[in-house]
């Protein structure tokens, strides 16, 4: 048996007899020569099956191949700069592992399909070259985030998914029954990160988070993945720098390692290359002024909508950090600016090209009495937060952190219209299947 070689590694096997294991991507025939395209999850290679050069049963097997049938193919690798991927396989042997029936052909053909149809077949759609490119970039972004924090001495601490209380507002909580009680799916690991930051200094969590968002926008999922660092003794400026360094690092990493994927997605790489440090900073106050000159109806005190974020990012070729939003639009745990008690010591990072908020964070309330008052004002159940208040009783320190939504970053870096393609199996207001 010749050795199994991944299609991405063909360069090392030119002139040799090898075996590839994969699926039929497409098939083209030209008289007595067949040109099946094979894919194996790492790339695509064109096979060449010449009737006069193979045993009759091999040619017959190749002739009846259908899209997405699974195969094991032997042949000799030949470099051909005209071929997709740069190589061709002169097929000498072919084993069909499972033949897709011609009566029930693979539902996704090379022609155009509607989005709902593709989403219904997401489990199969993932096999397309475009979706594989997105999965590759997503993987690289996640790995880059972890490397970034690991190399800076952060400890990864996993936070729970079943939680007793809200972190980001009670209107977007998913309630689940929990034996004789009820629980909520986590909206953010932050409150737990604050506890572990006091244990290890610098921590981060990375996991799924849930928001019962009734919004049908191109930026909202009900289940998304968030990477959240939290740092003891850090202030707003410290986490603002950490956030911009993280974003620049991730973009650089993807540019360095995933060019082919970005090219396959037809991403304008020049725009990503502009993403150099430092990123511009803008106060909420100034942002409101800018928005009003651009025709937005925003009043001081209101939160930015998606359209406002797009208008704001238009002025910059790289992400922009917007800081000090009014406390009234932000979560209960946000520290207020001592110089301006009506604004929070918070920062949002807005991606360019209209992708909107990718990061939200800031400094946390460290004072026991102020925090207790906030919990009461926002009518949050005190009992659920007694452990959180403990953190302000036993060695409270200033601390800060943020959360970055992975899918929004994937959408921006890949240049996608909608977050539904950024996660293998998206969960949205009207989608729970497959
Ligand atoms: O701004 P958010 O709500 O902040 C928090 O959850 C903080 N507790 C994080 C922290 O400080 N540790 O969410 C953070 C990020 C947003 O900037 C966005 O990227 C993403 O999470 N996000 C969503 N992504 C997809 N779908 C949704 N429904 C999202 N909601 C937030
Ligand atoms: Mg936010």
């Amino acid at each position: 048996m010749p050795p199994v070689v991944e299609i991405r590694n063909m360069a090392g096997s030119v002139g040799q007899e090898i075996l590839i294991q994969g699926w039929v991507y497409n098939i083209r025939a030209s008289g007595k020569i067949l040109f099946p395209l094979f894919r194996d999850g790492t790339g695509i290679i064109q096979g060449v099956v010449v009737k006069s050069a193979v045993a009759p049963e091999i040619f017959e097997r190749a002739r009846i191949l259908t899209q997405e049938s699974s195969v094991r193919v032997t042949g000799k690798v030949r470099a051909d700069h005209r071929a997709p991927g740069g190589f061709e396989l002169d097929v000498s042997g072919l084993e069909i592992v499972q033949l897709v029936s011609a009566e029930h052909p693979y539902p996704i053909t090379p022609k155009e399909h509607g989005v709902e149809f593709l989403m219904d077949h997401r489990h199969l759609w993932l096999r397309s070259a475009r979706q594989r490119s997105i999965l590759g970039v997503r993987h690289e972004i996640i790995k880059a985030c972890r490397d970034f924090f690991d190399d800076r001495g952060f400890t990864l601490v996993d936070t729970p998914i079943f939680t007793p209380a809200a972190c980001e507002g009670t209107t977007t909580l998913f309630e689940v029954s929990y034996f004789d009680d009820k629980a909520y799916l986590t909206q953010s690991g932050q409150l737990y990160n604050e506890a572990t930051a006091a244990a290890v200094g610098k921590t981060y969590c990375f996991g799924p988070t849930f928001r019962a968002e009734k919004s049908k926008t191109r930026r909202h999922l009900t289940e998304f993945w968030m990477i959240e660092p939290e740092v003891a003794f850090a202030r707003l400026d410290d986490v603002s720098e950490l956030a911009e360094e993280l974003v620049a690092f991730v973009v650089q990493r993807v540019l360095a390692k995933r060019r082919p994927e970005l090219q396959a997605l037809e991403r304008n790489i020049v725009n990503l290359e502009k993403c150099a440090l430092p990123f511009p900073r803008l106060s909420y106050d100034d942002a409101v002024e800018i928005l009003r000159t651009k025709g937005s109806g925003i009043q001081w005190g209101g939160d930015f909508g998606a359209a406002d974020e797009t208008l704001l990012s238009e002025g910059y070729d790289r992400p922009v950090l917007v800081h000090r939003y009014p406390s009234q639009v932000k979560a209960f745990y946000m520290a207020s600016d001592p110089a301006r008690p009506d604004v929070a010591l918070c920062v949002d990072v807005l991606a360019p090209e209209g992708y909107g908020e990718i990061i939200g964070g800031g400094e946390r309330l460290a004072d026991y009495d102020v925090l207790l008052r906030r919990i009461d004002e926002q009518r949050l159940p005190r009992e659920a937060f007694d452990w959180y208040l403990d953190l302000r009783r036993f060695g409270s320190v200033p601390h800060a952190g943020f959360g970055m939504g992975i899918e929004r970053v994937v959408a921006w870096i890949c240049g996608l219209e909608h977050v539904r393609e950024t996660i293998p199996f998206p969960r949205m207001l009207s989608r729970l299947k497959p």
Side-chain angles (χ1 to χ4, degrees), residues 401-427:
F402 61 82
M404 181 167 90
I406 293 296
E407 289 75 18
R408 297 237 183 125
V409 175
V410 175
W412 163 48
I413 292 183
C414 290
L416 308 178
E417 266 296 303
H418 197 293
V419 287
R420 66 184 159 225
E421 282 184 76
T422 63
I423 183 164
F425 298 99
R427 299 290 172 249

Side-chain angles (χ1 to χ4, degrees), residues 18 20 38 55 73 91 114 117 145 200 250 259 287 342 361 376 415 427:
I18 56 129
I20 57 173
F38 300 113
V73 193
V91 175
F117 177 86
C145 288
V200 300
V250 168
R259 288 264 164 167
D342 57 337
D376 289 345
R427 299 290 172 249

Side-chain angles (χ1 to χ4, degrees), residues 330 348 357 360:
K330 290 293 178 184
D348 276 8
E357 180 196 332

Side-chain angles (χ1 to χ4, degrees), residues 227-246:
I227 189 134
E228 298 181 86
E230 192 72 28
V231 184
F233 293 99
R235 313 308 291 245
L236 176 62
D237 286 346
D238 302 316
V239 284
S240 299
E241 278 168 30
L242 191 69
E244 67 179 344
E245 283 169 16
L246 170 67

Side-chain angles (χ1 to χ4, degrees), residues 30 68 112 136 154 178 196 256 273 282 319 343 355 370 372 379 423:
S30 157
E68 288 303 317
E112 287 279 310
F154 282 68
Y178 196 76
T196 48
E273 283 169 341
L282 191 62
V343 299
Y355 282 93
V370 182
L372 186 61
R379 299 204 184 154
I423 183 164

Side-chain angles (χ1 to χ4, degrees), residues 275-341:
C275 222
L277 294 173
F279 297 161
R281 277 132 168 95
L282 191 62
S283 69
Y284 170 89
D285 293 355
D286 291 344
V288 169
E289 288 300 312
I290 292 172
L291 285 173
R292 294 184 66 85
T293 64
K294 291 189 173 215
S296 161
I298 182 105
Q299 302 280 341
W300 195 98
D303 203 357
F304 299 146
D308 293 318
E309 290 180 354
T310 302
L311 277 177
L312 275 180
S313 63
E314 270 173 8
Y316 306 94
D317 62 358
R318 64 196 75 191
V320 54
L321 276 62
V322 183
H323 58 89
R324 293 182 173 78
Y325 286 66
S327 299
Q328 68 200 51
V329 299
K330 290 293 178 184
F332 75 97
Y333 53 71
M334 296 247 183
S336 303
D337 187 343
R340 286 269 311 274

Side-chain angles (χ1 to χ4, degrees), residues 167-168 187-191 193 205 209-211 213 215 219-230 330-331 333-334 348-349 357-362 364 401-409 419:
C167 176
E168 293 299 322
Q187 297 170 307
S188 157
Q190 181 200 316
L191 306 185
N193 277 346
C205 66
T209 48
F210 305 87
R211 305 271 170 102
E213 303 258 16
S215 29
R219 299 176 182 177
H220 286 93
L221 295 164
T222 53
E223 177 180 310
F224 62 97
W225 286 68
M226 188 159 35
I227 189 134
E228 298 181 86
E230 192 72 28
K330 290 293 178 184
Y333 53 71
M334 296 247 183
D348 276 8
V349 179
E357 180 196 332
I358 50 171
I359 287 182
R364 323 305 188 186
F402 61 82
M404 181 167 90
I406 293 296
E407 289 75 18
R408 297 237 183 125
V409 175
V419 287

